[in-house]
mmCIF file of all heavy atoms in Angstrom:
data_model
loop_
_atom_site.group_PDB
_atom_site.id
_atom_site.type_symbol
_atom_site.label_atom_id
_atom_site.label_comp_id
_atom_site.label_asym_id
_atom_site.label_seq_id
_atom_site.Cartn_x
_atom_site.Cartn_y
_atom_site.Cartn_z
ATOM 1 N N ARG A 1279 120.610 236.421 139.124
ATOM 2 C CA ARG A 1279 121.009 236.040 137.755
ATOM 3 C C ARG A 1279 122.226 235.176 137.767
ATOM 4 O O ARG A 1279 122.354 234.219 137.007
ATOM 5 C CB ARG A 1279 121.251 237.301 136.924
ATOM 6 C CG ARG A 1279 121.749 237.029 135.477
ATOM 7 C CD ARG A 1279 120.696 236.374 134.621
ATOM 8 N NE ARG A 1279 121.235 235.966 133.331
ATOM 9 C CZ ARG A 1279 121.363 236.776 132.268
ATOM 10 N NH1 ARG A 1279 120.964 238.012 132.366
ATOM 11 N NH2 ARG A 1279 121.789 236.314 131.123
ATOM 12 N N LEU A 1280 123.179 235.491 138.631
ATOM 13 C CA LEU A 1280 124.400 234.662 138.742
ATOM 14 C C LEU A 1280 124.047 233.263 139.190
ATOM 15 O O LEU A 1280 124.639 232.273 138.715
ATOM 16 C CB LEU A 1280 125.390 235.324 139.696
ATOM 17 C CG LEU A 1280 126.012 236.629 139.212
ATOM 18 C CD1 LEU A 1280 126.895 237.218 140.341
ATOM 19 C CD2 LEU A 1280 126.825 236.442 137.926
ATOM 20 N N VAL A 1281 123.121 233.124 140.147
ATOM 21 C CA VAL A 1281 122.661 231.821 140.576
ATOM 22 C C VAL A 1281 122.080 231.030 139.398
ATOM 23 O O VAL A 1281 122.403 229.878 139.205
ATOM 24 C CB VAL A 1281 121.674 231.958 141.739
ATOM 25 C CG1 VAL A 1281 121.042 230.567 142.076
ATOM 26 C CG2 VAL A 1281 122.325 232.516 142.977
ATOM 27 N N ALA A 1282 121.203 231.697 138.673
ATOM 28 C CA ALA A 1282 120.578 231.031 137.523
ATOM 29 C C ALA A 1282 121.636 230.577 136.520
ATOM 30 O O ALA A 1282 121.529 229.473 135.952
ATOM 31 C CB ALA A 1282 119.599 231.997 136.856
ATOM 32 N N GLU A 1283 122.661 231.402 136.275
ATOM 33 C CA GLU A 1283 123.693 231.065 135.277
ATOM 34 C C GLU A 1283 124.516 229.868 135.779
ATOM 35 O O GLU A 1283 124.863 228.986 134.980
ATOM 36 C CB GLU A 1283 124.581 232.271 135.008
ATOM 37 C CG GLU A 1283 123.937 233.320 134.142
ATOM 38 C CD GLU A 1283 123.560 232.756 132.747
ATOM 39 O OE1 GLU A 1283 124.408 232.090 132.131
ATOM 40 O OE2 GLU A 1283 122.407 232.946 132.346
ATOM 41 N N VAL A 1284 124.888 229.858 137.025
ATOM 42 C CA VAL A 1284 125.673 228.760 137.565
ATOM 43 C C VAL A 1284 124.886 227.474 137.513
ATOM 44 O O VAL A 1284 125.421 226.391 137.136
ATOM 45 C CB VAL A 1284 126.168 229.071 138.994
ATOM 46 C CG1 VAL A 1284 126.751 227.823 139.648
ATOM 47 C CG2 VAL A 1284 127.189 230.212 138.975
ATOM 48 N N LEU A 1285 123.637 227.522 137.857
ATOM 49 C CA LEU A 1285 122.823 226.329 137.793
ATOM 50 C C LEU A 1285 122.688 225.841 136.341
ATOM 51 O O LEU A 1285 122.750 224.621 136.050
ATOM 52 C CB LEU A 1285 121.380 226.602 138.353
ATOM 53 C CG LEU A 1285 121.298 226.851 139.859
ATOM 54 C CD1 LEU A 1285 119.876 227.181 140.241
ATOM 55 C CD2 LEU A 1285 121.760 225.616 140.653
ATOM 56 N N ARG A 1286 122.531 226.752 135.407
ATOM 57 C CA ARG A 1286 122.501 226.377 133.997
ATOM 58 C C ARG A 1286 123.795 225.706 133.550
ATOM 59 O O ARG A 1286 123.786 224.682 132.839
ATOM 60 C CB ARG A 1286 122.249 227.643 133.156
ATOM 61 C CG ARG A 1286 122.098 227.346 131.663
ATOM 62 C CD ARG A 1286 122.021 228.638 130.857
ATOM 63 N NE ARG A 1286 123.261 229.403 130.988
ATOM 64 C CZ ARG A 1286 124.352 229.187 130.272
ATOM 65 N NH1 ARG A 1286 124.385 228.191 129.373
ATOM 66 N NH2 ARG A 1286 125.421 229.934 130.413
ATOM 67 N N LEU A 1287 124.918 226.271 134.004
ATOM 68 C CA LEU A 1287 126.223 225.662 133.640
ATOM 69 C C LEU A 1287 126.381 224.276 134.266
ATOM 70 O O LEU A 1287 127.114 223.463 133.704
ATOM 71 C CB LEU A 1287 127.373 226.582 134.118
ATOM 72 C CG LEU A 1287 127.518 227.912 133.400
ATOM 73 C CD1 LEU A 1287 128.492 228.814 134.140
ATOM 74 C CD2 LEU A 1287 128.024 227.647 131.979
ATOM 75 N N ARG A 1288 125.706 224.064 135.383
ATOM 76 C CA ARG A 1288 125.767 222.731 136.031
ATOM 77 C C ARG A 1288 124.768 221.740 135.463
ATOM 78 O O ARG A 1288 124.628 220.625 135.921
ATOM 79 C CB ARG A 1288 125.521 222.869 137.544
ATOM 80 C CG ARG A 1288 126.485 223.748 138.267
ATOM 81 C CD ARG A 1288 127.740 223.002 138.699
ATOM 82 N NE ARG A 1288 128.554 223.816 139.615
ATOM 83 C CZ ARG A 1288 128.587 223.639 140.967
ATOM 84 N NH1 ARG A 1288 127.872 222.704 141.514
ATOM 85 N NH2 ARG A 1288 129.338 224.423 141.705
ATOM 86 N N GLY A 1289 124.016 222.156 134.415
ATOM 87 C CA GLY A 1289 123.114 221.225 133.754
ATOM 88 C C GLY A 1289 121.656 221.309 134.121
ATOM 89 O O GLY A 1289 120.838 220.528 133.624
ATOM 90 N N TRP A 1290 121.295 222.288 134.958
ATOM 91 C CA TRP A 1290 119.883 222.452 135.311
ATOM 92 C C TRP A 1290 119.158 223.238 134.206
ATOM 93 O O TRP A 1290 119.767 224.145 133.587
ATOM 94 C CB TRP A 1290 119.753 223.202 136.644
ATOM 95 C CG TRP A 1290 120.218 222.411 137.823
ATOM 96 C CD1 TRP A 1290 121.490 222.417 138.321
ATOM 97 C CD2 TRP A 1290 119.464 221.512 138.606
ATOM 98 N NE1 TRP A 1290 121.590 221.571 139.397
ATOM 99 C CE2 TRP A 1290 120.361 221.001 139.599
ATOM 100 C CE3 TRP A 1290 118.147 221.084 138.604
ATOM 101 C CZ2 TRP A 1290 119.932 220.101 140.582
ATOM 102 C CZ3 TRP A 1290 117.724 220.197 139.588
ATOM 103 C CH2 TRP A 1290 118.608 219.696 140.534
ATOM 104 N N ARG A 1291 117.917 222.933 134.026
ATOM 105 C CA ARG A 1291 117.063 223.804 133.179
ATOM 106 C C ARG A 1291 116.593 224.936 134.083
ATOM 107 O O ARG A 1291 115.857 224.689 135.052
ATOM 108 C CB ARG A 1291 115.872 223.031 132.600
ATOM 109 C CG ARG A 1291 114.987 223.887 131.716
ATOM 110 C CD ARG A 1291 114.025 223.012 130.886
ATOM 111 N NE ARG A 1291 112.982 222.448 131.680
ATOM 112 C CZ ARG A 1291 111.757 222.992 131.866
ATOM 113 N NH1 ARG A 1291 111.508 224.183 131.305
ATOM 114 N NH2 ARG A 1291 110.845 222.382 132.587
ATOM 115 N N THR A 1292 116.990 226.148 133.768
ATOM 116 C CA THR A 1292 116.711 227.275 134.630
ATOM 117 C C THR A 1292 115.804 228.286 133.955
ATOM 118 O O THR A 1292 115.927 228.530 132.733
ATOM 119 C CB THR A 1292 117.973 228.010 135.107
ATOM 120 O OG1 THR A 1292 118.674 228.516 133.962
ATOM 121 C CG2 THR A 1292 118.886 227.068 135.887
ATOM 122 N N THR A 1293 114.919 228.847 134.702
ATOM 123 C CA THR A 1293 114.066 229.965 134.243
ATOM 124 C C THR A 1293 114.292 231.106 135.210
ATOM 125 O O THR A 1293 113.994 231.002 136.405
ATOM 126 C CB THR A 1293 112.578 229.577 134.247
ATOM 127 O OG1 THR A 1293 112.377 228.415 133.445
ATOM 128 C CG2 THR A 1293 111.747 230.727 133.716
ATOM 129 N N PHE A 1294 114.825 232.230 134.684
ATOM 130 C CA PHE A 1294 115.122 233.390 135.529
ATOM 131 C C PHE A 1294 114.008 234.409 135.320
ATOM 132 O O PHE A 1294 113.799 234.893 134.194
ATOM 133 C CB PHE A 1294 116.453 233.980 135.142
ATOM 134 C CG PHE A 1294 116.829 235.233 135.929
ATOM 135 C CD1 PHE A 1294 116.834 235.247 137.302
ATOM 136 C CD2 PHE A 1294 117.115 236.406 135.245
ATOM 137 C CE1 PHE A 1294 117.121 236.370 138.035
ATOM 138 C CE2 PHE A 1294 117.422 237.544 135.945
ATOM 139 C CZ PHE A 1294 117.445 237.562 137.331
ATOM 140 N N LEU A 1295 113.274 234.743 136.369
ATOM 141 C CA LEU A 1295 112.132 235.653 136.274
ATOM 142 C C LEU A 1295 112.481 237.082 136.530
ATOM 143 O O LEU A 1295 111.638 237.973 136.317
ATOM 144 C CB LEU A 1295 111.044 235.178 137.255
ATOM 145 C CG LEU A 1295 110.492 233.759 137.016
ATOM 146 C CD1 LEU A 1295 109.311 233.492 137.994
ATOM 147 C CD2 LEU A 1295 110.050 233.551 135.571
ATOM 148 N N GLY A 1296 113.666 237.367 137.057
ATOM 149 C CA GLY A 1296 114.111 238.760 137.211
ATOM 150 C C GLY A 1296 113.744 239.340 138.545
ATOM 151 O O GLY A 1296 113.487 238.671 139.532
ATOM 152 N N ALA A 1297 113.746 240.683 138.571
ATOM 153 C CA ALA A 1297 113.571 241.435 139.796
ATOM 154 C C ALA A 1297 112.098 241.591 140.182
ATOM 155 O O ALA A 1297 111.219 241.584 139.324
ATOM 156 C CB ALA A 1297 114.189 242.834 139.658
ATOM 157 N N SER A 1298 111.850 241.686 141.495
ATOM 158 C CA SER A 1298 110.553 242.046 142.072
ATOM 159 C C SER A 1298 109.365 241.342 141.400
ATOM 160 O O SER A 1298 108.541 241.971 140.719
ATOM 161 C CB SER A 1298 110.345 243.574 142.021
ATOM 162 O OG SER A 1298 109.216 243.959 142.758
ATOM 163 N N VAL A 1299 109.255 240.054 141.646
ATOM 164 C CA VAL A 1299 108.127 239.292 141.074
ATOM 165 C C VAL A 1299 107.013 239.188 142.148
ATOM 166 O O VAL A 1299 107.255 238.682 143.240
ATOM 167 C CB VAL A 1299 108.600 237.861 140.673
ATOM 168 C CG1 VAL A 1299 107.407 237.060 140.111
ATOM 169 C CG2 VAL A 1299 109.691 237.949 139.630
ATOM 170 N N PRO A 1300 105.815 239.700 141.859
ATOM 171 C CA PRO A 1300 104.770 239.591 142.823
ATOM 172 C C PRO A 1300 104.429 238.134 143.180
ATOM 173 O O PRO A 1300 104.502 237.255 142.314
ATOM 174 C CB PRO A 1300 103.567 240.274 142.107
ATOM 175 C CG PRO A 1300 104.207 241.168 141.098
ATOM 176 C CD PRO A 1300 105.434 240.439 140.625
ATOM 177 N N ALA A 1301 104.142 237.900 144.441
ATOM 178 C CA ALA A 1301 103.919 236.534 144.920
ATOM 179 C C ALA A 1301 102.810 235.807 144.132
ATOM 180 O O ALA A 1301 103.000 234.647 143.762
ATOM 181 C CB ALA A 1301 103.553 236.572 146.387
ATOM 182 N N ALA A 1302 101.714 236.483 143.844
ATOM 183 C CA ALA A 1302 100.619 235.835 143.111
ATOM 184 C C ALA A 1302 101.046 235.384 141.739
ATOM 185 O O ALA A 1302 100.652 234.292 141.296
ATOM 186 C CB ALA A 1302 99.422 236.775 143.034
ATOM 187 N N HIS A 1303 101.847 236.195 141.062
ATOM 188 C CA HIS A 1303 102.258 235.846 139.712
ATOM 189 C C HIS A 1303 103.292 234.691 139.764
ATOM 190 O O HIS A 1303 103.298 233.818 138.877
ATOM 191 C CB HIS A 1303 102.908 237.064 139.042
ATOM 192 C CG HIS A 1303 101.915 238.143 138.749
ATOM 193 N ND1 HIS A 1303 101.227 238.260 137.557
ATOM 194 C CD2 HIS A 1303 101.482 239.170 139.519
ATOM 195 C CE1 HIS A 1303 100.424 239.285 137.575
ATOM 196 N NE2 HIS A 1303 100.557 239.868 138.773
ATOM 197 N N LEU A 1304 104.157 234.699 140.774
ATOM 198 C CA LEU A 1304 105.107 233.592 140.915
ATOM 199 C C LEU A 1304 104.406 232.307 141.205
ATOM 200 O O LEU A 1304 104.700 231.275 140.566
ATOM 201 C CB LEU A 1304 106.090 233.920 142.028
ATOM 202 C CG LEU A 1304 107.134 232.832 142.369
ATOM 203 C CD1 LEU A 1304 107.944 232.481 141.122
ATOM 204 C CD2 LEU A 1304 108.031 233.252 143.506
ATOM 205 N N VAL A 1305 103.442 232.304 142.095
ATOM 206 C CA VAL A 1305 102.695 231.099 142.420
ATOM 207 C C VAL A 1305 101.957 230.562 141.206
ATOM 208 O O VAL A 1305 101.942 229.353 140.936
ATOM 209 C CB VAL A 1305 101.742 231.357 143.589
ATOM 210 C CG1 VAL A 1305 100.757 230.204 143.744
ATOM 211 C CG2 VAL A 1305 102.533 231.557 144.865
ATOM 212 N N SER A 1306 101.349 231.424 140.435
ATOM 213 C CA SER A 1306 100.648 231.031 139.224
ATOM 214 C C SER A 1306 101.630 230.326 138.259
ATOM 215 O O SER A 1306 101.325 229.306 137.687
ATOM 216 C CB SER A 1306 100.004 232.246 138.551
ATOM 217 O OG SER A 1306 99.417 231.882 137.316
ATOM 218 N N TYR A 1307 102.807 230.912 138.151
ATOM 219 C CA TYR A 1307 103.849 230.310 137.246
ATOM 220 C C TYR A 1307 104.258 228.948 137.747
ATOM 221 O O TYR A 1307 104.439 227.999 136.935
ATOM 222 C CB TYR A 1307 105.028 231.271 137.180
ATOM 223 C CG TYR A 1307 106.032 230.873 136.123
ATOM 224 C CD1 TYR A 1307 105.853 231.261 134.787
ATOM 225 C CD2 TYR A 1307 107.157 230.139 136.424
ATOM 226 C CE1 TYR A 1307 106.773 230.882 133.790
ATOM 227 C CE2 TYR A 1307 108.061 229.768 135.455
ATOM 228 C CZ TYR A 1307 107.864 230.132 134.148
ATOM 229 O OH TYR A 1307 108.776 229.772 133.173
ATOM 230 N N LEU A 1308 104.422 228.803 139.049
ATOM 231 C CA LEU A 1308 104.837 227.517 139.611
ATOM 232 C C LEU A 1308 103.753 226.462 139.352
ATOM 233 O O LEU A 1308 104.063 225.300 139.042
ATOM 234 C CB LEU A 1308 105.081 227.633 141.097
ATOM 235 C CG LEU A 1308 106.235 228.539 141.515
ATOM 236 C CD1 LEU A 1308 106.400 228.568 143.040
ATOM 237 C CD2 LEU A 1308 107.572 228.155 140.851
ATOM 238 N N HIS A 1309 102.482 226.855 139.485
ATOM 239 C CA HIS A 1309 101.397 225.900 139.215
ATOM 240 C C HIS A 1309 101.443 225.454 137.730
ATOM 241 O O HIS A 1309 101.192 224.266 137.448
ATOM 242 C CB HIS A 1309 100.050 226.564 139.496
ATOM 243 C CG HIS A 1309 99.645 226.494 140.943
ATOM 244 N ND1 HIS A 1309 99.438 225.293 141.585
ATOM 245 C CD2 HIS A 1309 99.389 227.470 141.847
ATOM 246 C CE1 HIS A 1309 99.081 225.533 142.861
ATOM 247 N NE2 HIS A 1309 99.059 226.848 143.040
ATOM 248 N N GLN A 1310 101.747 226.392 136.851
ATOM 249 C CA GLN A 1310 101.747 226.065 135.422
ATOM 250 C C GLN A 1310 102.925 225.182 135.044
ATOM 251 O O GLN A 1310 102.800 224.268 134.229
ATOM 252 C CB GLN A 1310 101.777 227.365 134.606
ATOM 253 C CG GLN A 1310 100.541 228.207 134.699
ATOM 254 C CD GLN A 1310 100.715 229.578 134.099
ATOM 255 O OE1 GLN A 1310 101.675 229.817 133.363
ATOM 256 N NE2 GLN A 1310 99.825 230.473 134.396
ATOM 257 N N GLU A 1311 104.126 225.484 135.616
ATOM 258 C CA GLU A 1311 105.367 224.841 135.180
ATOM 259 C C GLU A 1311 105.775 223.625 136.021
ATOM 260 O O GLU A 1311 106.480 222.732 135.534
ATOM 261 C CB GLU A 1311 106.484 225.856 135.159
ATOM 262 C CG GLU A 1311 106.251 227.058 134.230
ATOM 263 C CD GLU A 1311 106.170 226.606 132.786
ATOM 264 O OE1 GLU A 1311 106.895 225.660 132.378
ATOM 265 O OE2 GLU A 1311 105.379 227.185 132.025
ATOM 266 N N GLY A 1312 105.410 223.607 137.305
ATOM 267 C CA GLY A 1312 105.762 222.504 138.149
ATOM 268 C C GLY A 1312 107.253 222.219 138.258
ATOM 269 O O GLY A 1312 107.668 221.061 138.035
ATOM 270 N N PRO A 1313 108.061 223.193 138.599
ATOM 271 C CA PRO A 1313 109.517 222.972 138.678
ATOM 272 C C PRO A 1313 109.883 222.109 139.882
ATOM 273 O O PRO A 1313 109.048 221.865 140.785
ATOM 274 C CB PRO A 1313 110.078 224.367 138.843
ATOM 275 C CG PRO A 1313 109.001 225.134 139.522
ATOM 276 C CD PRO A 1313 107.722 224.568 138.999
ATOM 277 N N ASP A 1314 111.165 221.668 139.900
ATOM 278 C CA ASP A 1314 111.643 220.890 141.014
ATOM 279 C C ASP A 1314 112.009 221.729 142.232
ATOM 280 O O ASP A 1314 112.056 221.262 143.341
ATOM 281 C CB ASP A 1314 112.886 220.116 140.588
ATOM 282 C CG ASP A 1314 112.558 219.138 139.454
ATOM 283 O OD1 ASP A 1314 111.917 218.089 139.725
ATOM 284 O OD2 ASP A 1314 112.915 219.411 138.287
ATOM 285 N N ALA A 1315 112.282 222.993 141.995
ATOM 286 C CA ALA A 1315 112.635 223.922 143.047
ATOM 287 C C ALA A 1315 112.403 225.351 142.602
ATOM 288 O O ALA A 1315 112.469 225.634 141.381
ATOM 289 C CB ALA A 1315 114.077 223.730 143.482
ATOM 290 N N VAL A 1316 112.227 226.226 143.554
ATOM 291 C CA VAL A 1316 112.247 227.695 143.260
ATOM 292 C C VAL A 1316 113.301 228.285 144.149
ATOM 293 O O VAL A 1316 113.362 228.001 145.374
ATOM 294 C CB VAL A 1316 110.857 228.339 143.470
ATOM 295 C CG1 VAL A 1316 110.348 228.096 144.889
ATOM 296 C CG2 VAL A 1316 110.925 229.842 143.160
ATOM 297 N N ALA A 1317 114.175 229.093 143.567
ATOM 298 C CA ALA A 1317 115.251 229.743 144.291
ATOM 299 C C ALA A 1317 114.913 231.225 144.363
ATOM 300 O O ALA A 1317 114.741 231.896 143.343
ATOM 301 C CB ALA A 1317 116.593 229.542 143.604
ATOM 302 N N LEU A 1318 114.803 231.733 145.609
ATOM 303 C CA LEU A 1318 114.396 233.116 145.839
ATOM 304 C C LEU A 1318 115.560 233.916 146.414
ATOM 305 O O LEU A 1318 116.208 233.463 147.368
ATOM 306 C CB LEU A 1318 113.203 233.195 146.774
ATOM 307 C CG LEU A 1318 111.911 232.494 146.307
ATOM 308 C CD1 LEU A 1318 110.837 232.613 147.369
ATOM 309 C CD2 LEU A 1318 111.412 233.126 144.989
ATOM 310 N N SER A 1319 115.785 235.106 145.842
ATOM 311 C CA SER A 1319 116.897 235.953 146.286
ATOM 312 C C SER A 1319 116.343 237.145 147.059
ATOM 313 O O SER A 1319 115.348 237.760 146.694
ATOM 314 C CB SER A 1319 117.711 236.440 145.103
ATOM 315 O OG SER A 1319 118.684 237.357 145.471
ATOM 316 N N CYS A 1320 117.068 237.485 148.132
ATOM 317 C CA CYS A 1320 116.674 238.643 148.964
ATOM 318 C C CYS A 1320 117.972 239.327 149.432
ATOM 319 O O CYS A 1320 118.744 238.750 150.216
ATOM 320 C CB CYS A 1320 115.853 238.251 150.138
ATOM 321 S SG CYS A 1320 115.301 239.635 151.203
ATOM 322 N N ALA A 1321 118.236 240.551 148.948
ATOM 323 C CA ALA A 1321 119.494 241.185 149.281
ATOM 324 C C ALA A 1321 119.421 242.002 150.591
ATOM 325 O O ALA A 1321 120.424 242.249 151.230
ATOM 326 C CB ALA A 1321 119.884 242.172 148.130
ATOM 327 N N LEU A 1322 118.224 242.416 150.971
ATOM 328 C CA LEU A 1322 118.065 243.285 152.131
ATOM 329 C C LEU A 1322 117.138 242.640 153.152
ATOM 330 O O LEU A 1322 116.020 242.274 152.833
ATOM 331 C CB LEU A 1322 117.500 244.647 151.726
ATOM 332 C CG LEU A 1322 118.358 245.489 150.768
ATOM 333 C CD1 LEU A 1322 117.566 246.711 150.323
ATOM 334 C CD2 LEU A 1322 119.669 245.875 151.421
#
């Protein structure tokens, strides 16, 4: 969320999907929206 907020403050249009997004649902969303990048977080 902090990454999404900093990118937003820097002028990027950001969409934050939250915690534990299944791969199939994320890929479907990327196909629909066609973003310039996807940023993935992994703490462990």
Side-chain angles (χ1 to χ4, degrees):
R1279 175 68 187 277
L1280 292 175
V1281 171
E1283 285 300 311
V1284 169
L1285 292 176
R1286 183 187 64 81
L1287 290 169
R1288 299 276 190 102
W1290 293 90
R1291 181 165 73 91
T1292 61
T1293 303
F1294 178 56
L1295 301 183
S1298 190
V1299 179
H1303 293 268
L1304 176 58
V1305 168
S1306 176
Y1307 189 84
L1308 297 181
H1309 276 299
Q1310 294 169 14
E1311 300 296 325
D1314 299 285
V1316 56
L1318 299 177
S1319 174
C1320 180
L1322 299 173

